[in-house]
Amino acid sequence: MSHSDAVAAEERWRGSRGRTDVRRLPENQVRDRGALDRLLDDALVAHVAVTDDGQPYVVPLAFARDRDHLVVHGSTASRAFRSLAAGAPTCATVTVVDGLVVARSQFESSMRYRSAMVLGTFAALHGADKERALQVLAARLLPGLAGARPPSEKELRATTVLALPLDEWSLKVSAGPPVDDAGDLSRPVWAGVVPLQHTWGRPEPAPDLAPGIEVPPAVAAWPEGRA
Ligand SMILES: Cc1cc2nc3c(=O)[nH]c(=O)nc-3n(C[C@H](O)[C@H](O)[C@H](O)COP(=O)(O)OP(=O)(O)OC[C@H]3O[C@@H](n4cnc5c(N)ncnc54)[C@H](O)[C@@H]3O)c2cc1C
Protein backbone atom coordinates (compact mmCIF):
# COMPACT_ATOMS: atom_id res chain seq x y z
CA MET A 1 0.00 0.00 0.00
CA SER A 2 1.39 3.42 -0.93
CA HIS A 3 1.84 6.11 1.70
CA SER A 4 -1.09 8.14 0.36
CA ASP A 5 -3.30 5.01 0.37
CA ALA A 6 -2.31 4.37 3.99
CA VAL A 7 -3.12 7.97 4.96
CA ALA A 8 -6.49 7.75 3.18
CA ALA A 9 -7.27 4.44 4.95
CA GLU A 10 -6.35 5.98 8.31
CA GLU A 11 -8.63 8.96 7.62
CA ARG A 12 -11.51 6.65 6.63
CA TRP A 13 -10.96 4.61 9.79
CA ARG A 14 -10.88 7.72 11.97
CA GLY A 15 -13.98 9.11 10.26
CA SER A 16 -15.86 5.91 10.97
CA ARG A 17 -15.31 6.18 14.74
CA GLY A 18 -17.05 8.33 17.31
CA ARG A 19 -15.11 11.29 18.59
CA THR A 20 -15.05 9.86 22.10
CA ASP A 21 -13.64 6.50 21.02
CA VAL A 22 -10.14 6.20 22.50
CA ARG A 23 -7.73 5.41 19.67
CA ARG A 24 -4.39 5.51 21.46
CA LEU A 25 -4.35 2.49 23.82
CA PRO A 26 -8.06 1.76 23.25
CA GLU A 27 -7.85 -1.12 25.74
CA ASN A 28 -7.70 1.58 28.45
CA GLN A 29 -11.15 2.93 27.54
CA VAL A 30 -13.79 2.28 30.21
CA ARG A 31 -17.39 2.66 29.11
CA ASP A 32 -18.98 2.03 32.50
CA ARG A 33 -20.99 5.06 33.61
CA GLY A 34 -20.51 4.09 37.27
CA ALA A 35 -16.73 4.37 36.84
CA LEU A 36 -17.18 7.81 35.30
CA ASP A 37 -19.32 8.91 38.24
CA ARG A 38 -16.74 7.63 40.73
CA LEU A 39 -13.99 9.65 39.06
CA LEU A 40 -16.12 12.79 38.91
CA ASP A 41 -17.04 12.33 42.57
CA ASP A 42 -13.37 11.90 43.55
CA ALA A 43 -12.07 14.99 41.76
CA LEU A 44 -12.46 18.64 42.65
CA VAL A 45 -11.21 20.35 39.49
CA ALA A 46 -12.26 20.19 35.84
CA HIS A 47 -10.15 21.75 33.09
CA VAL A 48 -12.60 23.40 30.74
CA ALA A 49 -11.67 24.52 27.22
CA VAL A 50 -12.77 27.81 25.69
CA THR A 51 -11.58 29.54 22.54
CA ASP A 52 -11.28 33.30 22.33
CA ASP A 53 -10.31 34.94 19.04
CA GLY A 54 -8.91 31.64 17.78
CA GLN A 55 -6.76 31.08 20.88
CA PRO A 56 -7.66 28.04 23.01
CA TYR A 57 -7.61 28.51 26.80
CA VAL A 58 -8.04 25.68 29.30
CA VAL A 59 -9.51 27.00 32.53
CA PRO A 60 -9.35 25.03 35.79
CA LEU A 61 -12.71 25.17 37.59
CA ALA A 62 -14.12 23.69 40.78
CA PHE A 63 -17.02 21.47 39.83
CA ALA A 64 -19.54 18.98 41.13
CA ARG A 65 -21.47 16.18 39.50
CA ASP A 66 -25.20 16.74 39.75
CA ARG A 67 -26.66 13.40 38.64
CA ASP A 68 -26.27 13.55 34.83
CA HIS A 69 -24.58 16.95 34.66
CA LEU A 70 -21.32 18.53 35.59
CA VAL A 71 -21.99 21.93 37.22
CA VAL A 72 -19.65 24.90 37.64
CA HIS A 73 -20.07 28.43 38.91
CA GLY A 74 -18.15 31.63 38.33
CA SER A 75 -18.24 35.37 37.93
CA THR A 76 -20.60 36.90 35.40
CA ALA A 77 -17.57 39.01 34.40
CA SER A 78 -15.45 35.96 33.52
CA ARG A 79 -14.52 35.63 29.86
CA ALA A 80 -14.75 31.85 30.11
CA PHE A 81 -18.18 31.90 31.75
CA ARG A 82 -19.56 34.44 29.26
CA SER A 83 -18.34 32.33 26.36
CA LEU A 84 -19.62 29.04 27.80
CA ALA A 85 -22.98 30.55 28.79
CA ALA A 86 -23.38 31.75 25.19
CA GLY A 87 -23.19 28.12 24.05
CA ALA A 88 -19.59 27.73 22.93
CA PRO A 89 -18.72 24.05 22.42
CA THR A 90 -16.30 22.77 25.00
CA CYS A 91 -14.37 19.85 26.39
CA ALA A 92 -14.19 19.43 30.17
CA THR A 93 -11.36 17.17 31.33
CA VAL A 94 -11.13 15.69 34.81
CA THR A 95 -8.00 13.84 35.90
CA VAL A 96 -6.85 12.01 38.99
CA VAL A 97 -3.27 10.70 39.10
CA ASP A 98 -3.16 7.45 41.10
CA GLY A 99 0.55 6.72 40.91
CA LEU A 100 3.84 6.72 39.04
CA VAL A 101 4.71 3.69 36.95
CA VAL A 102 8.46 3.17 37.02
CA ALA A 103 9.62 0.99 34.17
CA ARG A 104 13.10 -0.25 33.35
CA SER A 105 13.26 2.30 30.55
CA GLN A 106 12.30 5.95 30.60
CA PHE A 107 10.25 5.35 27.45
CA GLU A 108 7.92 2.85 29.10
CA SER A 109 7.60 4.74 32.40
CA SER A 110 4.19 6.35 32.81
CA MET A 111 1.41 7.15 35.27
CA ARG A 112 -1.55 5.38 36.76
CA TYR A 113 -4.50 7.62 36.11
CA ARG A 114 -8.20 8.00 35.59
CA SER A 115 -9.22 10.75 33.23
CA ALA A 116 -12.49 11.78 31.63
CA MET A 117 -13.32 14.08 28.78
CA VAL A 118 -16.86 15.41 28.47
CA LEU A 119 -17.74 17.04 25.16
CA GLY A 120 -20.72 19.30 24.67
CA THR A 121 -22.24 22.64 25.49
CA PHE A 122 -22.93 24.14 28.90
CA ALA A 123 -26.37 25.59 29.60
CA ALA A 124 -26.81 28.57 31.93
CA LEU A 125 -29.06 27.82 34.90
CA HIS A 126 -31.56 30.29 36.31
CA GLY A 127 -33.98 30.62 39.21
CA ALA A 128 -34.63 27.48 41.23
CA ASP A 129 -32.31 25.40 38.98
CA LYS A 130 -29.46 27.82 39.65
CA GLU A 131 -29.98 27.82 43.40
CA ARG A 132 -30.23 24.04 43.48
CA ALA A 133 -26.99 23.66 41.51
CA LEU A 134 -25.26 26.04 43.93
CA GLN A 135 -26.43 23.85 46.80
CA VAL A 136 -24.99 20.79 45.05
CA LEU A 137 -21.69 22.63 44.58
CA ALA A 138 -21.62 23.74 48.21
CA ALA A 139 -22.40 20.23 49.44
CA ARG A 140 -19.56 18.84 47.31
CA LEU A 141 -16.95 21.53 47.94
CA LEU A 142 -17.84 22.40 51.55
CA PRO A 143 -19.17 19.13 53.00
CA GLY A 144 -20.15 19.46 56.61
CA LEU A 145 -20.02 23.27 56.53
CA ALA A 146 -23.76 23.77 56.66
CA GLY A 147 -23.15 26.92 58.71
CA ALA A 148 -21.71 28.88 55.77
CA ARG A 149 -24.05 31.70 54.70
CA PRO A 150 -25.94 31.05 51.42
CA PRO A 151 -25.45 33.61 48.62
CA SER A 152 -27.32 36.91 48.84
CA GLU A 153 -29.42 38.28 45.94
CA LYS A 154 -26.49 40.47 44.92
CA GLU A 155 -24.05 37.54 45.04
CA LEU A 156 -26.47 35.41 43.02
CA ARG A 157 -26.69 38.13 40.36
CA ALA A 158 -22.88 38.21 40.17
CA THR A 159 -22.66 34.44 39.70
CA THR A 160 -23.13 32.43 36.54
CA VAL A 161 -24.01 28.76 37.06
CA LEU A 162 -23.57 26.35 34.17
CA ALA A 163 -24.42 22.69 33.61
CA LEU A 164 -22.81 20.34 31.08
CA PRO A 165 -24.75 17.13 30.29
CA LEU A 166 -22.89 13.85 30.67
CA ASP A 167 -24.01 12.73 27.21
CA GLU A 168 -20.83 12.46 25.16
CA TRP A 169 -17.87 11.37 27.24
CA SER A 170 -14.85 9.13 27.38
CA LEU A 171 -13.07 7.63 30.34
CA LYS A 172 -9.49 6.41 30.04
CA VAL A 173 -7.93 4.46 32.88
CA SER A 174 -4.33 3.37 33.21
CA ALA A 175 -4.06 0.98 36.15
CA GLY A 176 -1.49 -1.70 35.45
CA PRO A 177 2.16 -2.43 36.26
CA PRO A 178 5.03 -1.34 34.03
CA VAL A 179 5.18 -3.11 30.69
CA ASP A 180 8.81 -3.32 29.67
CA ASP A 181 10.47 -4.40 26.49
CA ALA A 182 11.67 -8.00 26.79
CA GLY A 183 15.22 -6.79 26.26
CA ASP A 184 15.04 -4.58 29.35
CA LEU A 185 13.69 -7.19 31.79
CA SER A 186 17.17 -8.36 32.78
CA ARG A 187 18.36 -4.85 33.63
CA PRO A 188 19.26 -4.75 37.37
CA VAL A 189 17.06 -1.75 38.14
CA TRP A 190 13.93 -1.45 40.24
CA ALA A 191 10.60 -1.34 38.45
CA GLY A 192 7.14 -1.06 39.89
CA VAL A 193 4.41 1.36 40.85
CA VAL A 194 4.51 4.10 43.48
CA PRO A 195 0.87 4.82 44.40
CA LEU A 196 -0.10 8.43 44.92
CA GLN A 197 -2.80 9.17 47.49
CA HIS A 198 -4.56 12.45 48.03
CA THR A 199 -5.37 13.18 51.66
CA TRP A 200 -6.40 16.24 53.63
CA GLY A 201 -4.12 17.89 56.16
CA ARG A 202 -4.98 19.22 59.60
CA PRO A 203 -7.58 22.07 59.39
CA GLU A 204 -6.06 25.55 60.00
CA PRO A 205 -8.45 27.95 61.79
CA ALA A 206 -8.90 31.41 60.24
CA PRO A 207 -6.69 33.94 62.04
CA ASP A 208 -9.80 35.99 62.90
CA LEU A 209 -11.87 33.01 64.13
CA ALA A 210 -13.76 33.82 67.31
CA PRO A 211 -12.50 31.82 70.29
CA GLY A 212 -14.44 28.71 71.23
CA ILE A 213 -15.55 27.71 67.71
CA GLU A 214 -14.31 24.20 67.15
CA VAL A 215 -13.63 22.43 63.86
CA PRO A 216 -16.93 20.76 62.85
CA PRO A 217 -16.79 16.97 63.26
CA ALA A 218 -17.53 16.45 59.55
CA VAL A 219 -14.50 18.59 58.63
CA ALA A 220 -12.28 16.94 61.23
CA ALA A 221 -13.15 13.63 59.52
CA TRP A 222 -11.94 14.80 56.08
CA PRO A 223 -8.36 13.53 56.42
CA GLU A 224 -9.69 9.99 56.81
CA GLY A 225 -12.94 10.38 54.95
CA ARG A 226 -12.05 12.07 51.68
CA ALA A 227 -9.40 11.33 49.11
C1 LIG B 1 -2.23 12.14 34.00
C2 LIG B 1 -2.04 11.80 32.55
C3 LIG B 1 -0.79 11.90 31.97
C4 LIG B 1 -0.58 11.58 30.64
N1 LIG B 1 0.65 11.75 30.08
C5 LIG B 1 0.85 11.49 28.77
C6 LIG B 1 2.10 11.75 28.15
O1 LIG B 1 3.06 12.21 28.79
N2 LIG B 1 2.23 11.47 26.83
C7 LIG B 1 1.19 10.98 26.10
O2 LIG B 1 1.35 10.76 24.89
N3 LIG B 1 -0.01 10.75 26.65
C8 LIG B 1 -0.20 11.00 27.96
N4 LIG B 1 -1.43 10.78 28.53
C9 LIG B 1 -2.48 10.24 27.67
C10 LIG B 1 -3.12 11.37 26.87
O3 LIG B 1 -4.09 12.00 27.71
C11 LIG B 1 -3.83 10.90 25.61
O4 LIG B 1 -4.75 9.88 25.91
C12 LIG B 1 -2.83 10.37 24.58
O5 LIG B 1 -1.75 11.28 24.39
C13 LIG B 1 -3.51 10.11 23.24
O6 LIG B 1 -3.99 11.34 22.72
P1 LIG B 1 -4.78 11.34 21.34
O7 LIG B 1 -5.30 12.72 21.10
O8 LIG B 1 -3.94 10.69 20.30
O9 LIG B 1 -6.00 10.39 21.76
P2 LIG B 1 -7.04 9.63 20.88
O10 LIG B 1 -7.05 8.22 21.39
O11 LIG B 1 -6.87 9.85 19.41
O12 LIG B 1 -8.36 10.38 21.35
C14 LIG B 1 -9.61 10.01 20.83
C15 LIG B 1 -10.65 10.25 21.89
O13 LIG B 1 -10.32 9.46 23.02
C16 LIG B 1 -10.67 10.14 24.20
N5 LIG B 1 -9.45 10.33 25.04
C17 LIG B 1 -8.17 10.41 24.65
N6 LIG B 1 -7.35 10.58 25.70
C18 LIG B 1 -8.14 10.61 26.78
C19 LIG B 1 -7.87 10.77 28.15
N7 LIG B 1 -6.63 10.91 28.65
N8 LIG B 1 -8.92 10.78 28.99
C20 LIG B 1 -10.18 10.62 28.56
N9 LIG B 1 -10.49 10.46 27.26
C21 LIG B 1 -9.47 10.45 26.38
C22 LIG B 1 -11.25 11.48 23.80
O14 LIG B 1 -12.66 11.38 23.77
C23 LIG B 1 -10.70 11.68 22.42
O15 LIG B 1 -11.51 12.52 21.65
C24 LIG B 1 -1.66 11.10 29.85
C25 LIG B 1 -2.93 10.99 30.44
C26 LIG B 1 -3.11 11.34 31.77
C27 LIG B 1 -4.49 11.23 32.34
Side-chain angles (χ1 to χ4, degrees):
M1 186 186 288
S2 71
H3 176 67
S4 58
D5 286 347
V7 169
E10 167 80 7
E11 282 173 358
R12 276 198 305 279
W13 178 77
R14 284 189 170 264
S16 70
R17 310 279 305 266
R19 57 183 187 168
T20 50
D21 286 337
V22 173
R23 296 170 181 120
R24 176 87 192 110
L25 301 178
E27 64 276 18
N28 286 351
Q29 177 149 25
V30 175
R31 297 185 187 272
D32 171 35
R33 172 58 197 270
L36 175 74
D37 288 355
R38 283 193 291 283
L39 166 61
L40 297 180
D41 295 346
D42 275 353
L44 294 170
V45 176
H47 287 85
V48 177
V50 290
T51 305
D52 187 26
D53 204 14
Q55 171 63 50
Y57 297 85
V58 178
V59 185
L61 298 173
F63 82 99
R65 182 178 67 86
D66 183 14
R67 292 175 295 199
D68 293 332
H69 288 79
L70 194 153
V71 293
V72 297
H73 71 321
S75 167
T76 50
S78 151
R79 171 185 62 186
F81 275 81
R82 284 204 311 269
S83 166
L84 295 169
T90 191
C91 171
T93 297
V94 175
T95 306
V96 170
V97 176
D98 291 321
L100 291 182
V101 178
V102 183
R104 295 167 184 83
S105 69
Q106 293 179 5
F107 184 85
E108 295 295 352
S109 296
S110 60
M111 289 181 174
R112 273 190 182 167
Y113 62 74
R114 292 166 286 152
S115 88
M117 291 187 193
V118 184
L119 309 184
T121 305
F122 278 97
L125 301 183
H126 301 283
D129 291 340
K130 177 177 178 178
E131 291 186 33
R132 206 188 135 275
L134 285 171
Q135 284 168 10
V136 169
L137 275 162
R140 170 69 184 112
L141 302 173
L142 303 170
L145 290 178
R149 175 179 66 73
S152 65
E153 282 299 320
K154 185 178 167 198
E155 289 166 340
L156 277 176
R157 279 197 302 278
T159 304
T160 299
V161 181
L162 303 173
L164 177 66
L166 296 173
D167 289 340
E168 190 178 8
W169 54 270
S170 56
L171 172 63
K172 193 171 175 182
V173 176
S174 178
V179 180
D180 275 297
D181 285 352
D184 286 326
L185 292 178
S186 57
R187 287 175 57 82
V189 294
W190 188 83
V193 175
V194 186
L196 175 61
Q197 288 167 350
H198 305 260
T199 58
W200 298 102
R202 187 183 296 273
E204 298 174 7
D208 51 3
L209 188 71
I213 300 182
E214 299 297 329
V215 176
V219 175
W222 284 7
E224 290 80 32
R226 298 180 79 211

